[in-house]
Amino acid sequence: MLSNKEITDFINKNIYDIRVTKNGRWIDQKCAADVLTVIADCIYNYHLNNPNNITFTTADIWYSDYAKNNVVEIFKKPDVDSELAQNEYDKFFQQPMELLSASKVLNKTKNGNRNIYSIADIDILEFIALREKNALFFLKEYITKTLKDSGIYYLFETFFGSQTLVNYSKMKKGFANFTINNTSINGDTECNRIFIKVLNPLAYYNNALGTEHGHLSRHNITYDMLMYNRNNFRDINAEKPKEVTRKEYMQLKKIVVNNAYYKYQSAKAKHYLKLFNAQYRDNKSEHLDEFDNGMATQIHHIFPESQYPEICYYLENLIALTPTQHMTKAHPNNNTREICETYQHLLLLSKTDRIKENLDNTTVEKIYEFSKLLYVLTVGFDDDNILKIEDRNFEDVVNAINLHYVA
């Protein structure tokens, strides 16, 4: 499992000057982080299942069983075999694949009008495929390097230094002029569609304003605004009256949860934590007790996936356990539909310790966020007061956990 530094090193060793490549499709409308990670995942799984097929086309990926079983349900697209699919899937798969090619993760050759791809760097592809956050970090690094190599990063630096309407307009117009002058794209409309995908990931990492509906955004760009598949439970929970429970509010508003999307994200998050725990913690259990002997081969949802889909893929809600811990303590009598609240209490305390260790450790990749820990507890306990805890105040988090189970 690669670190962020290794991703930066990969990006920095390549040259992405658009004035040289003339490639206006180095990034495109469908290149949101959640789409990019799914397409990378589909390519990665196609490679694993077809080891003798060194090259592949866009159609090979979208007609693969893995894509059929995931993309249709996750993104609510037409069936890949339907008549409506051709144009829709051509963009949905090809645009991220073009980005992966332009960034040198994939190789691309031409056979007539067909693009023929192969994997240039399997480790980078796996990093992107593992989770949305990885894909977003890759996008940020790739976008930044491309703008710098192309000599137009100063427009964005000026904007982030002083977020005025004048600087926004200069940046947007400058990007459009540069693209029209150096690529086959010849209209402002298409430039502006691409501009959104360029600016907003940078704005998110700068905790800054970006672009929304073609204008300077009124608020800082948030994570959900960068996603193609926006189902923002944070907004849903923020609008919920305090006297109404989370489940009652979802039923009242007839909120439909895309279970396929969250199940897919949950599986990927569990895989990611398992890899991290193997690489950095020698496969040890994250909860220390008399049942922690052996390898932590099980990844457990502290708050069950079926009841809390909105936090099922948060690493802060997942914990690596030994089989005995998982199937006899977390789920008494091997009943996966049952949760032992006493053990849940202890697991939350242990997970809080593991999160603190990770955030305090300067030698390993930081995979957790304190704000996400608060959100997990807020949803799990249905208690908005937890969000008031000050940043990195782990003592108050422990007190809140203990108080919940005492009450």
Side-chain angles (χ1 to χ4, degrees):
M1 186 170 67
L2 299 182
S3 66
N4 284 355
K5 183 183 182 303
E6 288 171 301
I7 300 304
T8 302
D9 290 342
F10 170 83
I11 294 290
N12 286 339
K13 77 178 183 180
N14 292 303
I15 302 297
Y16 304 124
D17 190 344
I18 298 169
R19 295 168 297 186
V20 175
T21 66
K22 304 298 181 183
N23 184 6
R25 301 299 178 182
W26 62 279
I27 192 168
D28 221 320
Q29 289 175 266
K30 304 295 186 185
C31 295
D34 55 342
V35 177
L36 182 62
T37 192
V38 168
I39 302 307
D41 193 27
C42 289
I43 296 169
Y44 187 78
N45 276 274
Y46 178 84
H47 167 74
L48 293 181
N49 293 318
N50 301 274
N52 295 325
N53 293 0
I54 297 174
T55 62
F56 50 88
T57 65
T58 306
D60 289 329
I61 303 304
W62 92 48
Y63 284 118
S64 67
D65 290 339
Y66 192 82
K68 288 181 180 180
N69 293 335
N70 288 290
V71 176
V72 172
E73 289 299 320
I74 293 168
F75 292 99
K76 300 300 183 184
K77 294 293 180 187
D79 188 276
V80 294
D81 294 317
S82 75
E83 294 181 3
L84 297 173
Q86 181 68 40
N87 187 55
E88 181 71 16
Y89 279 104
D90 191 46
K91 291 181 179 179
F92 193 79
F93 281 83
Q94 185 162 343
Q95 288 181 5
M97 289 173 72
E98 282 294 287
L99 183 151
L100 292 170
S101 169
S103 61
K104 308 299 189 348
V105 179
L106 298 181
N107 299 311
K108 185 181 79 169
T109 58
K110 283 280 190 180
N111 184 1
N113 291 326
R114 297 173 70 211
N115 292 330
I116 308 298
Y117 299 95
S118 63
I119 297 173
D121 195 311
I122 189 68
D123 293 328
I124 302 293
L125 183 68
E126 182 189 32
F127 175 90
I128 297 168
L130 275 173
R131 58 176 185 159
E132 288 175 356
K133 189 174 180 181
N134 286 10
L136 184 55
F137 179 80
F138 179 87
L139 280 173
K140 185 262 293 187
E141 294 291 290
Y142 168 61
I143 291 167
T144 301
K145 183 65 161 53
T146 302
L147 296 175
K148 287 182 176 180
D149 287 352
S150 303
I152 55 171
Y153 187 66
Y154 72 93
L155 293 169
F156 295 80
E157 276 189 311
T158 301
F159 170 69
F160 289 128
S162 178
Q163 297 214 284
T164 64
L165 185 58
V166 170
N167 285 340
Y168 171 82
S169 298
K170 286 182 179 179
M171 173 182 57
K172 186 177 181 181
K173 187 63 177 175
F175 177 81
N177 288 340
F178 174 86
T179 302
I180 291 169
N181 290 335
N182 290 280
T183 75
S184 60
I185 295 173
N186 56 16
D188 283 344
T189 300
E190 194 64 17
C191 290
N192 292 339
R193 288 171 180 164
I194 296 171
F195 175 71
I196 297 170
K197 299 303 181 186
V198 173
L199 175 61
N200 282 356
L202 303 183
Y204 170 75
Y205 277 95
N206 279 278
N207 194 28
L209 303 177
T211 186
E212 192 171 17
H213 306 303
H215 304 284
L216 178 65
S217 65
R218 295 175 59 190
H219 306 288
N220 289 353
I221 298 300
T222 56
Y223 186 86
D224 71 286
M225 295 170 69
L226 302 173
M227 300 299 134
Y228 180 89
N229 196 8
R230 293 175 66 169
N231 188 351
N232 190 12
F233 275 103
R234 286 181 181 269
D235 288 345
I236 293 169
N237 289 326
E239 295 167 1
K240 177 184 70 67
K242 290 185 178 180
E243 66 274 10
V244 178
T245 68
R246 177 183 137 278
K247 291 181 180 178
E248 289 171 343
Y249 185 72
M250 290 178 69
Q251 291 174 351
L252 180 67
K253 291 293 184 178
K254 297 181 179 178
I255 295 167
V256 179
V257 177
N258 185 348
N259 286 316
Y261 173 76
Y262 289 102
K263 189 175 183 64
Y264 171 78
Q265 294 292 359
S266 172
K268 288 179 69 173
K270 289 167 75 173
H271 177 59
Y272 181 84
L273 181 59
K274 193 171 183 178
L275 288 175
F276 180 87
N277 197 55
Q279 184 167 335
Y280 293 105
R281 303 190 72 258
D282 297 322
N283 281 312
K284 295 177 182 177
S285 174
E286 293 189 278
H287 176 62
L288 306 181
D289 63 9
E290 65 269 35
F291 305 103
D292 65 11
N293 291 326
M295 295 175 62
T297 59
Q298 310 289 302
I299 305 298
H300 170 66
H301 285 96
I302 303 174
F303 295 108
E305 178 180 1
S306 60
Q307 297 178 42
Y308 303 92
E310 63 266 52
I311 55 173
C312 70
Y313 62 97
Y314 279 54
L315 296 177
E316 293 77 4
N317 184 40
L318 297 173
I319 189 165
L321 301 175
T322 66
T324 303
Q325 288 176 321
H326 190 214
M327 299 310 297
T328 64
K329 301 300 293 182
H331 297 297
N333 302 315
N334 293 338
N335 184 353
T336 56
R337 295 187 179 184
E338 185 180 346
I339 290 288
C340 173
E341 285 202 355
T342 301
Y343 208 64
Q344 183 184 60
H345 178 191
L346 297 174
L347 293 182
L348 281 172
L349 294 175
S350 288
K351 191 66 190 187
T352 299
D353 283 343
R354 301 294 83 75
I355 292 169
K356 185 177 186 303
E357 287 173 3
N358 178 252
L359 294 179
D360 289 345
N361 193 332
T362 58
T363 63
V364 301
E365 202 71 35
K366 289 179 172 54
I367 65 170
Y368 301 112
E369 296 178 33
F370 187 80
S371 61
K372 287 185 177 180
L373 171 61
L374 297 186
Y375 182 65
V376 164
L377 294 174
T378 296
V379 173
F381 294 162
D382 202 5
D383 183 357
D384 294 334
N385 289 321
I386 291 173
L387 292 175
K388 298 175 183 177
I389 294 176
E390 293 182 1
D391 187 41
R392 301 295 289 271
N393 190 335
F394 285 96
E395 184 176 339
D396 278 3
V397 168
V398 169
N399 288 337
I401 293 171
N402 287 333
L403 283 172
H404 175 81
Y405 288 96
V406 169

